[in-house]
Amino acid sequence: LLGAVSAAALVLSANAASANCDDGEMVIKFSHVVAATGHPKGDAATLLAKRVNEEMNGTACMEVFANSTLFDDDKVLEALLLGDVQLAAPSLSKFEAYTLKYRLFDLPFLFSSLKAVDNFVQSDSGKGLLTVMEDVGYTGLGYWSSGLKQFSANKPLLVPSDADGLKFRVQTSDVAVAMIEAMGGSAQKLAFKEVYGALQTGVVDGQENSWSNIYTQKFFEVQDGVTETNHQLLAYLLVTSTEWLNSLDPDVRDQFVKIADEVTIEANAAVAATEAANRQNILDAGGTIRELNAEQRKAWVDAMKPVWTKFEGDIGADLIEAAVASND
Ligand code: LMR
Protein backbone atom coordinates (compact mmCIF):
# COMPACT_ATOMS: atom_id res chain seq x y z
CA LEU A 1 0.00 0.00 0.00
CA LEU A 2 2.79 2.37 0.96
CA GLY A 3 4.37 1.78 -2.41
CA ALA A 4 1.13 2.60 -4.15
CA VAL A 5 0.73 5.79 -2.10
CA SER A 6 4.21 7.02 -2.85
CA ALA A 7 3.84 6.13 -6.52
CA ALA A 8 0.64 8.19 -6.58
CA ALA A 9 2.46 11.04 -4.82
CA LEU A 10 5.18 10.90 -7.42
CA VAL A 11 2.69 11.11 -10.26
CA LEU A 12 0.99 14.00 -8.51
CA SER A 13 4.20 15.93 -8.05
CA ALA A 14 5.27 15.24 -11.63
CA ASN A 15 1.97 16.70 -12.74
CA ALA A 16 2.05 19.60 -10.33
CA ALA A 17 3.66 21.88 -12.88
CA SER A 18 0.81 21.29 -15.27
CA ALA A 19 -1.89 20.84 -12.64
CA ASN A 20 -4.39 22.95 -14.58
CA CYS A 21 -3.72 21.41 -17.95
CA ASP A 22 -6.17 19.00 -19.52
CA ASP A 23 -5.21 15.84 -21.37
CA GLY A 24 -4.26 16.61 -24.94
CA GLU A 25 -3.40 20.24 -24.31
CA MET A 26 0.06 21.35 -25.35
CA VAL A 27 1.88 22.50 -22.21
CA ILE A 28 3.80 25.78 -22.52
CA LYS A 29 6.17 26.28 -19.59
CA PHE A 30 7.49 29.75 -18.92
CA SER A 31 10.35 30.11 -16.46
CA HIS A 32 11.61 33.45 -15.12
CA VAL A 33 13.61 34.81 -12.21
CA VAL A 34 11.68 37.76 -10.77
CA ALA A 35 8.73 38.25 -8.42
CA ALA A 36 5.45 36.72 -9.59
CA THR A 37 3.47 39.94 -8.99
CA GLY A 38 4.08 43.67 -8.66
CA HIS A 39 6.91 43.47 -11.19
CA PRO A 40 6.73 44.28 -14.93
CA LYS A 41 7.93 40.83 -15.98
CA GLY A 42 6.03 38.89 -13.35
CA ASP A 43 2.81 40.68 -14.24
CA ALA A 44 3.38 40.30 -17.99
CA ALA A 45 3.98 36.56 -17.63
CA THR A 46 0.79 36.21 -15.58
CA LEU A 47 -1.21 38.13 -18.17
CA LEU A 48 0.18 36.02 -21.01
CA ALA A 49 -0.69 32.81 -19.18
CA LYS A 50 -4.19 34.06 -18.40
CA ARG A 51 -4.89 34.90 -22.02
CA VAL A 52 -3.43 31.68 -23.41
CA ASN A 53 -5.35 29.61 -20.88
CA GLU A 54 -8.62 31.37 -21.65
CA GLU A 55 -8.36 31.79 -25.40
CA MET A 56 -6.48 28.62 -26.30
CA ASN A 57 -8.29 26.37 -23.81
CA GLY A 58 -8.35 22.82 -25.15
CA THR A 59 -5.32 23.46 -27.37
CA ALA A 60 -2.65 24.95 -25.12
CA CYS A 61 -2.02 25.43 -21.44
CA MET A 62 0.56 27.78 -19.97
CA GLU A 63 2.31 27.37 -16.62
CA VAL A 64 4.53 30.12 -15.20
CA PHE A 65 7.42 29.45 -12.81
CA ALA A 66 8.60 32.70 -11.17
CA ASN A 67 11.48 33.56 -8.80
CA SER A 68 14.13 31.23 -10.31
CA THR A 69 12.15 28.24 -8.97
CA LEU A 70 12.74 26.28 -12.18
CA PHE A 71 15.85 27.72 -13.88
CA ASP A 72 18.18 30.70 -13.62
CA ASP A 73 18.82 32.78 -16.72
CA ASP A 74 21.84 30.84 -18.00
CA LYS A 75 20.16 27.48 -17.61
CA VAL A 76 16.84 28.58 -19.04
CA LEU A 77 18.39 29.27 -22.43
CA GLU A 78 19.74 25.72 -22.55
CA ALA A 79 16.39 24.43 -21.30
CA LEU A 80 14.61 26.13 -24.22
CA LEU A 81 16.73 24.23 -26.72
CA LEU A 82 16.22 20.96 -24.83
CA GLY A 83 12.44 21.49 -24.81
CA ASP A 84 12.24 21.55 -21.00
CA VAL A 85 10.55 24.96 -21.20
CA GLN A 86 8.99 26.78 -24.14
CA LEU A 87 9.21 30.42 -23.05
CA ALA A 88 11.59 32.62 -21.11
CA ALA A 89 12.31 36.33 -20.81
CA PRO A 90 15.90 36.87 -19.73
CA SER A 91 17.23 40.41 -19.83
CA LEU A 92 18.92 41.46 -23.06
CA SER A 93 22.22 41.54 -21.16
CA LYS A 94 22.16 37.76 -20.88
CA PHE A 95 22.52 36.82 -24.54
CA GLU A 96 26.22 37.56 -25.01
CA ALA A 97 27.00 33.92 -25.74
CA TYR A 98 24.54 34.01 -28.66
CA THR A 99 24.76 37.50 -30.16
CA LEU A 100 26.86 40.60 -29.56
CA LYS A 101 24.25 42.86 -31.18
CA TYR A 102 22.23 43.08 -27.95
CA ARG A 103 25.16 44.92 -26.38
CA LEU A 104 23.39 47.91 -27.87
CA PHE A 105 20.72 47.81 -25.17
CA ASP A 106 23.34 47.88 -22.41
CA LEU A 107 25.08 51.06 -23.55
CA PRO A 108 24.88 53.50 -20.62
CA PHE A 109 22.62 56.53 -21.08
CA LEU A 110 21.53 55.33 -24.53
CA PHE A 111 17.78 55.76 -24.04
CA SER A 112 16.49 58.86 -22.32
CA SER A 113 13.07 57.42 -21.48
CA LEU A 114 10.89 54.33 -21.77
CA LYS A 115 9.09 56.10 -24.63
CA ALA A 116 12.38 56.18 -26.55
CA VAL A 117 12.81 52.45 -25.92
CA ASP A 118 9.33 51.87 -27.30
CA ASN A 119 10.11 53.93 -30.40
CA PHE A 120 13.25 51.92 -31.04
CA VAL A 121 11.84 48.43 -30.51
CA GLN A 122 8.96 49.19 -32.85
CA SER A 123 11.29 50.48 -35.57
CA ASP A 124 12.63 48.22 -38.35
CA SER A 125 16.04 48.14 -36.65
CA GLY A 126 14.49 47.06 -33.38
CA LYS A 127 12.24 44.42 -34.96
CA GLY A 128 15.16 43.09 -37.01
CA LEU A 129 17.00 42.23 -33.81
CA LEU A 130 14.27 39.76 -32.79
CA THR A 131 15.52 37.20 -35.28
CA VAL A 132 19.32 37.61 -35.10
CA MET A 133 19.67 34.42 -33.03
CA GLU A 134 17.67 32.07 -35.23
CA ASP A 135 20.88 30.45 -36.46
CA VAL A 136 21.52 29.33 -32.88
CA GLY A 137 17.93 28.28 -32.28
CA TYR A 138 16.18 31.23 -30.61
CA THR A 139 13.35 33.44 -31.86
CA GLY A 140 12.39 36.63 -30.07
CA LEU A 141 8.65 37.19 -29.82
CA GLY A 142 8.92 40.71 -28.41
CA TYR A 143 10.72 43.05 -26.07
CA TRP A 144 9.37 43.42 -22.56
CA SER A 145 10.58 46.62 -21.05
CA SER A 146 11.29 46.78 -17.33
CA GLY A 147 12.51 50.28 -16.62
CA LEU A 148 15.76 52.15 -16.26
CA LYS A 149 18.43 51.06 -13.81
CA GLN A 150 19.61 52.71 -10.61
CA PHE A 151 22.78 52.17 -8.62
CA SER A 152 22.90 51.23 -4.97
CA ALA A 153 25.86 50.64 -2.67
CA ASN A 154 26.87 50.35 0.95
CA LYS A 155 27.86 54.03 0.91
CA PRO A 156 26.37 57.14 -0.76
CA LEU A 157 27.04 57.39 -4.51
CA LEU A 158 26.62 60.89 -5.92
CA VAL A 159 29.35 61.02 -8.54
CA PRO A 160 31.03 58.09 -10.31
CA SER A 161 34.25 58.51 -8.32
CA ASP A 162 32.27 57.60 -5.17
CA ALA A 163 32.35 54.08 -6.59
CA ASP A 164 36.14 54.00 -6.57
CA GLY A 165 37.33 50.67 -5.17
CA LEU A 166 33.82 49.26 -4.67
CA LYS A 167 32.73 45.91 -6.06
CA PHE A 168 29.40 45.75 -7.92
CA ARG A 169 27.33 42.77 -8.93
CA VAL A 170 26.55 42.83 -12.63
CA GLN A 171 24.60 40.61 -14.98
CA THR A 172 26.53 38.40 -17.42
CA SER A 173 27.38 41.40 -19.60
CA ASP A 174 30.81 42.67 -20.60
CA VAL A 175 29.28 46.08 -21.26
CA ALA A 176 28.25 46.26 -17.62
CA VAL A 177 31.77 45.24 -16.56
CA ALA A 178 33.28 48.01 -18.71
CA MET A 179 30.82 50.50 -17.25
CA ILE A 180 31.71 49.64 -13.66
CA GLU A 181 35.41 49.81 -14.47
CA ALA A 182 34.89 53.26 -16.04
CA MET A 183 33.62 54.33 -12.60
CA GLY A 184 36.75 52.99 -10.91
CA GLY A 185 34.94 50.01 -9.40
CA SER A 186 35.25 46.30 -10.02
CA ALA A 187 32.50 44.05 -11.32
CA GLN A 188 31.41 40.56 -10.40
CA LYS A 189 28.96 38.61 -12.54
CA LEU A 190 26.41 36.80 -10.40
CA ALA A 191 23.06 35.11 -11.01
CA PHE A 192 20.08 37.22 -9.97
CA LYS A 193 19.03 34.87 -7.17
CA GLU A 194 22.41 35.33 -5.48
CA VAL A 195 22.40 39.12 -5.36
CA TYR A 196 20.62 39.70 -2.06
CA GLY A 197 22.92 37.31 -0.18
CA ALA A 198 26.02 38.78 -1.84
CA LEU A 199 25.00 42.29 -0.78
CA GLN A 200 24.08 41.17 2.72
CA THR A 201 27.34 39.33 3.37
CA GLY A 202 29.55 41.95 1.70
CA VAL A 203 30.68 39.69 -1.17
CA VAL A 204 29.83 42.76 -3.25
CA ASP A 205 29.34 46.38 -2.14
CA GLY A 206 26.71 47.45 -4.62
CA GLN A 207 24.49 46.60 -7.56
CA GLU A 208 22.43 48.19 -10.33
CA ASN A 209 18.85 47.32 -11.16
CA SER A 210 15.33 48.59 -11.80
CA TRP A 211 13.12 50.02 -9.04
CA SER A 212 10.96 46.91 -9.28
CA ASN A 213 13.87 44.54 -8.71
CA ILE A 214 15.40 46.69 -5.97
CA TYR A 215 12.06 46.72 -4.16
CA THR A 216 10.75 43.18 -4.72
CA GLN A 217 14.14 41.57 -3.96
CA LYS A 218 14.62 43.90 -0.96
CA PHE A 219 18.10 44.96 -2.11
CA PHE A 220 17.50 48.41 -0.58
CA GLU A 221 17.33 46.82 2.88
CA VAL A 222 20.98 45.73 2.67
CA GLN A 223 22.33 48.92 1.03
CA ASP A 224 23.05 52.42 2.31
CA GLY A 225 20.81 53.92 -0.37
CA VAL A 226 19.82 53.98 -4.02
CA THR A 227 20.97 56.71 -6.41
CA GLU A 228 18.53 57.67 -9.13
CA THR A 229 20.94 57.46 -12.06
CA ASN A 230 18.59 56.02 -14.72
CA HIS A 231 21.86 54.99 -16.35
CA GLN A 232 20.87 51.94 -18.33
CA LEU A 233 17.89 50.06 -19.66
CA LEU A 234 16.57 46.84 -18.20
CA ALA A 235 14.53 45.03 -20.82
CA TYR A 236 13.81 41.42 -21.64
CA LEU A 237 13.51 39.34 -24.73
CA LEU A 238 10.39 37.19 -24.69
CA VAL A 239 12.13 34.26 -26.31
CA THR A 240 11.30 30.80 -27.51
CA SER A 241 13.02 28.03 -29.38
CA THR A 242 12.78 28.50 -33.14
CA GLU A 243 12.28 24.76 -33.54
CA TRP A 244 9.36 24.69 -31.11
CA LEU A 245 7.70 27.71 -32.71
CA ASN A 246 8.06 26.20 -36.18
CA SER A 247 6.64 22.89 -34.95
CA LEU A 248 3.26 24.46 -34.11
CA ASP A 249 0.30 24.16 -36.48
CA PRO A 250 0.11 27.45 -38.40
CA ASP A 251 -3.28 28.34 -36.86
CA VAL A 252 -2.08 27.63 -33.36
CA ARG A 253 1.16 29.53 -33.94
CA ASP A 254 -0.68 32.56 -35.34
CA GLN A 255 -3.07 32.67 -32.41
CA PHE A 256 -0.25 32.31 -29.89
CA VAL A 257 1.95 34.95 -31.56
CA LYS A 258 -0.99 37.36 -31.76
CA ILE A 259 -1.69 36.97 -28.05
CA ALA A 260 2.02 37.44 -27.27
CA ASP A 261 2.07 40.64 -29.38
CA GLU A 262 -0.97 42.07 -27.63
CA VAL A 263 0.32 41.18 -24.18
CA THR A 264 3.66 42.79 -25.03
CA ILE A 265 1.96 46.08 -25.89
CA GLU A 266 -0.25 45.99 -22.79
CA ALA A 267 2.61 45.02 -20.48
CA ASN A 268 4.96 47.70 -21.81
CA ALA A 269 2.28 50.34 -21.33
CA ALA A 270 2.09 49.43 -17.64
CA VAL A 271 5.84 49.52 -16.87
CA ALA A 272 6.22 53.20 -15.97
CA ALA A 273 3.44 53.00 -13.38
CA THR A 274 4.79 49.80 -11.82
CA GLU A 275 8.28 51.29 -11.65
CA ALA A 276 6.98 54.50 -10.04
CA ALA A 277 4.98 52.48 -7.52
CA ASN A 278 8.01 50.40 -6.54
CA ARG A 279 10.17 53.53 -6.20
CA GLN A 280 7.55 54.83 -3.78
CA ASN A 281 7.38 51.45 -2.03
CA ILE A 282 11.10 51.73 -1.27
CA LEU A 283 10.58 55.16 0.32
CA ASP A 284 7.54 53.94 2.27
CA ALA A 285 9.58 51.02 3.60
CA GLY A 286 12.20 53.45 4.92
CA GLY A 287 14.73 53.13 2.08
CA THR A 288 16.91 56.05 1.00
CA ILE A 289 16.80 57.42 -2.55
CA ARG A 290 19.27 60.06 -3.70
CA GLU A 291 18.55 62.25 -6.71
CA LEU A 292 21.30 63.77 -8.85
CA ASN A 293 21.61 67.43 -9.75
CA ALA A 294 22.49 68.36 -13.34
CA GLU A 295 26.20 68.58 -12.65
CA GLN A 296 26.35 65.22 -10.90
CA ARG A 297 24.37 63.60 -13.69
CA LYS A 298 26.77 65.01 -16.27
CA ALA A 299 29.67 63.43 -14.37
CA TRP A 300 28.02 59.99 -14.73
CA VAL A 301 27.31 60.48 -18.43
CA ASP A 302 30.88 61.67 -19.09
CA ALA A 303 32.48 58.84 -17.13
CA MET A 304 30.55 56.21 -19.07
CA LYS A 305 30.81 57.61 -22.58
CA PRO A 306 34.04 55.67 -23.43
CA VAL A 307 32.04 52.44 -23.04
CA TRP A 308 30.16 53.24 -26.26
CA THR A 309 33.35 53.40 -28.32
CA LYS A 310 34.58 50.15 -26.86
CA PHE A 311 31.57 48.16 -28.10
CA GLU A 312 30.72 50.03 -31.29
CA GLY A 313 32.42 47.38 -33.45
CA ASP A 314 30.30 44.54 -31.97
CA ILE A 315 27.06 46.44 -32.31
CA GLY A 316 27.48 48.50 -35.47
CA ALA A 317 27.51 52.30 -35.66
CA ASP A 318 24.30 52.30 -37.73
CA LEU A 319 22.37 50.47 -35.03
CA ILE A 320 23.65 52.83 -32.33
CA GLU A 321 22.60 55.77 -34.48
CA ALA A 322 19.11 54.32 -34.96
CA ALA A 323 18.74 53.87 -31.20
CA VAL A 324 19.95 57.40 -30.47
CA ALA A 325 17.47 58.77 -33.03
CA SER A 326 14.61 57.16 -31.10
CA ASN A 327 15.21 59.66 -28.28
CA ASP A 328 13.77 62.51 -30.37
C1 LMR B 1 19.21 40.73 -13.24
O1 LMR B 1 19.83 39.66 -13.36
O2 LMR B 1 19.56 41.64 -12.50
C2 LMR B 1 17.93 40.93 -14.03
O3 LMR B 1 18.13 40.52 -15.33
C3 LMR B 1 16.84 40.14 -13.41
C4 LMR B 1 15.57 40.35 -14.16
O4 LMR B 1 15.17 39.42 -14.86
O5 LMR B 1 14.98 41.42 -14.03
Side-chain angles (χ1 to χ4, degrees):
L1 178 68
L2 255 185
V5 169
S6 59
L10 258 181
V11 170
L12 267 181
S13 68
N15 283 344
S18 47
N20 301 316
C21 296
D22 300 327
D23 279 352
E25 282 181 331
M26 162 177 73
V27 179
I28 304 174
K29 290 189 190 174
F30 184 164
S31 164
H32 70 78
V33 298
V34 302
T37 53
H39 185 291
K41 180 160 56 183
D43 291 341
T46 304
L47 178 63
L48 183 61
K50 180 171 179 287
R51 290 215 30 202
V52 166
N53 290 334
E54 277 169 16
E55 295 166 38
M56 300 183 78
N57 188 26
T59 305
C61 170
M62 183 174 298
E63 295 282 345
V64 180
F65 301 84
N67 273 315
S68 310
T69 45
L70 200 53
F71 294 111
D72 70 18
D73 281 328
D74 284 343
K75 286 277 178 296
V76 86
L77 286 168
E78 292 168 23
L80 278 174
L81 295 186
L82 293 171
D84 291 337
V85 293
Q86 287 68 40
L87 279 179
S91 86
L92 292 161
S93 316
K94 297 194 170 142
F95 290 89
E96 286 206 319
Y98 308 98
T99 176
L100 296 181
K101 290 274 173 205
Y102 289 0
R103 289 186 161 171
L104 171 76
F105 296 99
D106 269 356
L107 293 181
F109 296 106
L110 176 66
F111 295 110
S112 56
S113 65
L114 291 177
K115 175 80 185 67
V117 177
D118 234 29
N119 292 342
F120 177 72
V121 298
Q122 284 175 30
S123 70
D124 287 347
S125 308
K127 284 188 187 146
L129 288 174
L130 289 172
T131 50
V132 288
M133 295 185 297
E134 290 198 333
D135 56 339
V136 285
Y138 301 107
T139 299
L141 295 171
Y143 302 97
W144 284 4
S145 184
S146 199
L148 296 171
K149 286 202 243 165
Q150 325 299 338
F151 272 112
S152 70
N154 54 13
K155 59 170 269 204
L157 296 176
L158 287 172
V159 286
S161 56
D162 291 333
D164 209 28
L166 299 187
K167 187 182 276 188
F168 289 84
R169 176 270 174 171
V170 293
Q171 303 185 54
T172 48
S173 154
D174 284 353
V175 183
V177 172
M179 189 179 75
I180 299 293
E181 287 173 356
M183 292 156 49
S186 60
Q188 182 160 343
K189 293 176 180 172
L190 283 176
F192 186 59
K193 63 174 186 264
E194 284 160 17
V195 181
Y196 181 89
L199 291 170
Q200 191 182 36
T201 56
V203 167
V204 293
D205 303 299
Q207 64 84 44
E208 39 140 23
N209 229 309
S210 63
W211 293 119
S212 296
N213 278 335
I214 294 171
Y215 178 67
T216 56
Q217 301 295 318
K218 303 194 190 309
F219 296 157
F220 69 98
E221 289 184 357
V222 284
Q223 295 278 266
D224 170 80
V226 187
T227 305
E228 187 160 30
T229 46
N230 286 323
H231 62 277
Q232 203 188 37
L233 174 68
L234 178 65
Y236 311 111
L237 186 72
L238 176 63
V239 63
T240 185
S241 124
T242 309
E243 190 184 338
W244 177 76
L245 194 65
N246 289 343
S247 76
L248 302 180
D249 286 344
D251 287 356
V252 173
R253 183 169 59 230
D254 288 352
Q255 188 182 9
F256 174 67
V257 168
K258 184 163 180 285
I259 293 173
D261 284 347
E262 288 170 5
V263 166
T264 297
I265 292 168
E266 190 175 335
N268 285 340
V271 169
T274 306
E275 278 285 282
N278 282 324
R279 184 188 186 283
Q280 187 59 43
N281 287 339
I282 292 172
L283 291 172
D284 293 348
T288 300
I289 296 177
R290 298 190 176 89
E291 295 176 17
L292 300 177
N293 65 31
E295 199 183 324
Q296 289 162 338
R297 189 177 159 78
K298 184 172 180 310
W300 288 92
V301 175
D302 289 349
M304 292 179 179
K305 198 71 193 181
V307 174
W308 286 40
T309 327
K310 186 163 184 195
F311 295 99
E312 188 181 296
D314 296 336
I315 301 164
D318 50 336
L319 209 53
I320 298 180
E321 237 168 69
V324 169
S326 62
N327 285 321
D328 299 339

